[in-house]
Amino acid sequence: MVLFRLIAIALALAGLHAGAARADAFDEALTGVRGGYAQVTRGAEALAATGDPRAVDVLNALSEGRLYTAPDDGPIGIGTEQGGDIRLVDPRDGSELGVFGSRDVERIRVNNRVRGAVTAAMGRLQLSSPDPGQRRAAVDGIVREPSPEAAEQLRAAIEREQDTGVRGAMTFALAQIELQTGDREQKLAAIETMKASTDPQARAALGAVSAATAEGAPGADAELHEAAEDAIASVDRTREWLNLLLNIYQGISLGSILLLAALGLAITFGVMGVINMAHGEMIMLGAYTAFVVQQVFRAYAPGAMELYLLAAVPAAFLVSGAAGIAIEQSVIRFLYKRPLETLLATWGISLMLQQAVRLIFGATNQQVANPSWMSGGIEILGGVFLTYNRLIIIVFCLIVLAVIALVLRFSTFGLQMRAVVQNRDMARTMGINTARVDALTFGLGSGVAGMAGAALSQIGNVSPNLGTQYIVDSFLVVVFGGVGQLAGTLTGAMGLGIVNKLLEPYAGAVLGKVLVLVGIILFIQFRPRGLFVLKGRAAEA
Amino acid sequence: MSWQLPRLATAALAAAAALTVSISAAMAQPAPIKIGILHSLSGTMAISETTLKDAMLMLIEEQNEKGGLLGRPLEAVVVDPASDWPLFAERARGLLENDQVDVIFGCWTSVSRKSVLPVVEELNGLLFYPVQYEGEESSRNVFYTGAAPNQQAIPAVEYLMSEDGGGAERFVLLGTDYVYPRTTNRILRAFLNGKGVTDADIMESYTPFGHSDWQTIVAEVKEFSAQGKQTAIVSTINGDANVPFYKELSNQGIDAADLPVVAFSVGEEELSGIDTSDLVGHLAAWNYFMSVDTPENDSFIASWHQFTGNDRRVTNDPMEAHYIGFNMWAQAVEQAGTTEVDAVRQAMYGQQVKNLTGGVAVMNTNHHLSKPVLIGEIQADGQFETVWETDGVVKGAAWSPYIPESAKLTADWTYPWVCGGCETPKYAITN
């Protein structure tokens, strides 16, 4: 393998002087990309070693599974699908090789090993790519195969680099490589660079140096060892703080999901006193609305797919809200003041809704795709990764909360609603149509649950029993926070989320959940009305 | 007396069903052979098990088109244990006592199988269990058509440690908190320790059923994997929790070439609810993939699409297990000339059915199959591409050699053993 690569490099170097020789090297390397996974891996490495710009396309096609051998062991071509057939293009000169049936051409199969080797090989080729994203990816590739030459290439690239983010990644990668292949001075400098890093890889790299230079080890070096140990201590201190902050962030993120799930319930249960067991199914309806909207967009407006979620949220509000009003009008309004019966009736409704959705959409999960602006995430510090979908849901949740608070505080409907809650008879005497207010309040609570469903479809399952996954958590939040208070719901959700996430790393996910549950049971013993208690005559009754 | 209600309801339903059948089938028809289907059609496992119910109905319909068995038509008796483990036992009893079914095909989770086990043993019923499981069991009344750990977990980990699989040296064992993942991971840990992997290089973590918040665990795994050695994740996460898990993996940018996940409970059906474009390269180990190109598989998929009226419905490994189990049972019934359980059981040993992926499945006297093991990588279209497979078939082992207590045990239901878990030959059935 080494010999092969040396030959390829030699050929590539020769290619710098003679264009013809370079073309030959590329041709030759290209023919090597076939056979078993091991051969393909070697072929890909040889191809990258030619340094030929055409190799980038070939390697990309290879890792995406679009590289084919033309019939009868013919030339290798990059394929594009064309109505079930494969159109092959010769990567050497861009000429057309023809259109073949998918069974006639042989696809060059790749596995993780090949893909990993391709990423590493692409590292060298793309270090000077005009796209910062590709340069960043190239850095990840280079670290996979550390060598003094790679370090040299990186140093040159750092000189040229304008983008600070990519530059930081390059500096860190260079330090990583120098720690392994550099001389003593370089190693000391690299340790200094690592010291300031929060990346868990830094900890590992320093650990390796420390072990290799410890007393008694073959490469014993007291100064290096001490520097490494010192750096490890410093990295560990920073990481401890960072982990705490990360856990709190994850707690807020979990809390925002609990809050979204519970907000609608806080309105129907907290404000109206209706124990709505079908609340989870309102969330489910919202999630399925998001799925349907996605399918509609896919069918009629594929160009606007990225924006389907913006349409799905209000649609989910309307669908779930309408379903909520229908349930209130047809069942619940006959059962006010009889909480046990509403509990049973709404539970029955929840089962019916689940079965209805199962009949229409099937029992299996539906695929709701994240739009690209909601997939992936951002690494704000080494090892601290925030995903976009969670960030957006936190913001979305706060917006929904603010809108509800404003509606309750400033709109006529909000005023009437609060009046009905405080004293229903007095409100009716004042000319408020309480039946209408009840229906609208229930609609609002259900609609909010629907929006929550549209949001939750972005992180979890969309299946007929989606609702049951959130109903228990929702009731916990509302009861813990205090009935009938938005502030209580907010504090309850965030409190539960954060406590849960702080416990999880130490107790594990299962025990953590149990501990939170036990905690709530104890808490309710001492404060049966939850964190925030609604004041007023009606509430005391 | 409330406990009588469901049974009364079942009896009433069965009576109604029997009535409609007898009216439509007229008097001339011989009595049908009854096949119980015991799969959750509601609750958390409905996602996976509904498909198996449909697959069984398809197999029964096909057999009826061929003229049934022993000249008698087959009749499906479908019940819904609703993902409720004790209800599985109750429904199984109902099937055997009230409906007098000749055989039961059913269960998915190990807890449901463990609930049904005492019932089929007491009433001498016959259960075909189609899902890969943790082993450590061999009952006279159960045929295990899914994979045992040596037909799935062990080969998968061996592949991960091989050069082609990335040469993993550190392992993260993630699972749902119940008997299957815990036992499988116990076997894996013992196996890995035997291969020189220290406990410091193994991280083990469990989550509840339906766990949806994976941020912390995925971040922990990332940190664990950043510590120098090539790491791989072994997932025994079951059911609904897989969707948010894979979404979190792709959003946190975990690349399969750096940190591959090999799953034992994720098949085509589970993937159909996920956008897999960011998951290319993650693995699963099964005995069957829908993508395998054989004539048997092509015709199976074609009839499945025709039966469901939906040509986008996927097939998966437990469906193949039902296909093999059903055909073996049908052959055994023909051979025994009766559906009587003891005779059919004897006729089952050595039964052969062609696998959908090539080769021939054989039923062994330990009630486990010999099947090939395949390892596949997830593709962007939600299918698996086979990247490794065993040369021939692997015989399912009921007892793992990697757990000291079970290493000594043998399962064999023919003379002179006649026992599902014993150290020395036993000549009669002890229970």
Side-chain angles (χ1 to χ4, degrees), chain A residues 372-401:
Chain A
S372 65
W373 47 274
M374 263 188 111
S375 4
I378 178 174
E379 192 164 21
I380 49 167
L381 276 169
V384 181
F385 199 89
L386 308 184
T387 50
Y388 292 134
N389 59 357
R390 301 274 176 173
L391 280 173
I392 290 169
I393 283 175
I394 293 177
V395 173
F396 175 71
C397 167
L398 293 178
I399 293 173
V400 171
L401 186 71

Side-chain angles (χ1 to χ4, degrees), chain A residues 8-94:
Chain A
I9 290 171
L11 283 170
L13 286 176
L16 291 177
H17 301 288
R22 174 165 149 161
D24 288 346
F26 179 74
D27 283 2
E28 193 175 337
L30 187 62
T31 54
V33 188
R34 56 179 107 205
Y37 296 128
Q39 284 101 310
V40 175
T41 308
R42 277 197 291 278
E45 281 164 352
L47 204 56
T50 61
D52 194 298
R54 291 170 294 178
V56 175
D57 288 338
V58 180
L59 291 176
N60 267 329
L62 177 65
S63 68
E64 286 162 13
R66 292 189 292 111
L67 207 58
Y68 295 86
T69 308
D72 308 320
D73 281 330
I76 286 173
I78 297 176
T80 41
E81 187 142 338
Q82 204 172 57
D85 292 334
I86 310 283
R87 194 169 71 98
L88 286 192
V89 171
D90 193 330
R92 289 173 296 189
D93 49 15

Side-chain angles (χ1 to χ4, degrees), chain B residues 151-218:
Chain B
Q151 290 171 309
Q152 187 186 35
I154 300 287
V157 171
E158 276 176 338
Y159 173 76
L160 288 176
M161 296 176 92
S162 74
E163 200 187 353
D164 264 349
E169 296 173 272
R170 302 193 102 196
F171 292 87
V172 181
L173 311 179
L174 295 182
T176 304
D177 196 18
Y178 75 112
V179 55
Y180 161 65
R182 283 194 179 267
T183 313
T184 305
N185 287 341
R186 200 169 152 228
I187 294 172
L188 283 181
R189 187 180 280 271
F191 171 78
L192 289 170
N193 286 344
K195 292 266 174 186
V197 179
T198 61
D199 281 338
D201 282 331
I202 301 175
M203 170 184 165
E204 201 171 334
S205 172
Y206 295 95
T207 42
F209 267 104
H211 187 67
S212 60
D213 196 275
W214 288 95
Q215 298 179 82
T216 317
I217 291 173
V218 172

Side-chain angles (χ1 to χ4, degrees), chain A residues 306-456:
Chain A
E306 289 289 282
L307 301 175
Y308 86 87
L309 206 55
L310 300 184
V313 168
F317 180 83
L318 292 178
V319 169
S320 292
I325 290 177
I327 293 171
E328 201 271 349
Q329 286 293 303
S330 58
V331 178
I332 292 174
R333 72 184 164 118
F334 304 110
L335 298 172
Y336 283 121
K337 294 179 184 167
R338 291 160 71 187
L340 274 181
E341 280 89 336
T342 44
L343 188 145
L344 270 180
T346 51
W347 187 54
I349 291 170
S350 85
L351 292 181
M352 284 158 64
L353 283 172
Q354 278 184 38
Q355 198 55 40
V357 166
R358 195 170 282 132
L359 285 175
I360 298 170
F361 295 96
T364 48
N365 278 339
Q366 296 299 341
Q367 183 183 323
V368 178
N370 292 141
S372 65
W373 47 274
M374 263 188 111
S375 4
I378 178 174
E379 192 164 21
I380 49 167
L381 276 169
V384 181
F385 199 89
L386 308 184
T387 50
Y388 292 134
N389 59 357
R390 301 274 176 173
L391 280 173
I392 290 169
I393 283 175
I394 293 177
V395 173
F396 175 71
C397 167
L398 293 178
I399 293 173
V400 171
L401 186 71
V403 169
I404 291 174
L406 289 177
V407 165
L408 292 189
R409 179 76 186 80
F410 293 111
S411 74
T412 317
F413 165 63
L415 184 70
Q416 292 182 345
M417 197 176 120
R418 281 181 292 143
V420 172
V421 171
Q422 288 202 349
N423 193 324
R424 178 174 294 267
D425 294 332
M426 185 67 85
R428 197 182 300 150
T429 318
M430 301 298 286
I432 294 175
N433 183 348
T434 56
R436 191 173 142 268
V437 170
D438 283 338
L440 286 179
T441 309
F442 205 83
L444 176 70
S446 302
V448 170
M451 291 202 291
L456 294 177

Side-chain angles (χ1 to χ4, degrees), chain A residues 273-320:
Chain A
V274 173
I275 302 176
N276 179 16
M277 294 298 282
H279 173 73
E281 278 57 46
M282 297 293 117
I283 298 178
M284 175 194 71
L285 283 185
Y288 272 92
T289 308
F291 169 70
V292 171
V293 170
Q294 173 195 259
Q295 296 306 94
V296 169
F297 266 67
R298 187 165 284 161
Y300 299 106
M305 264 310 277
E306 289 289 282
L307 301 175
Y308 86 87
L309 206 55
L310 300 184
V313 168
F317 180 83
L318 292 178
V319 169
S320 292

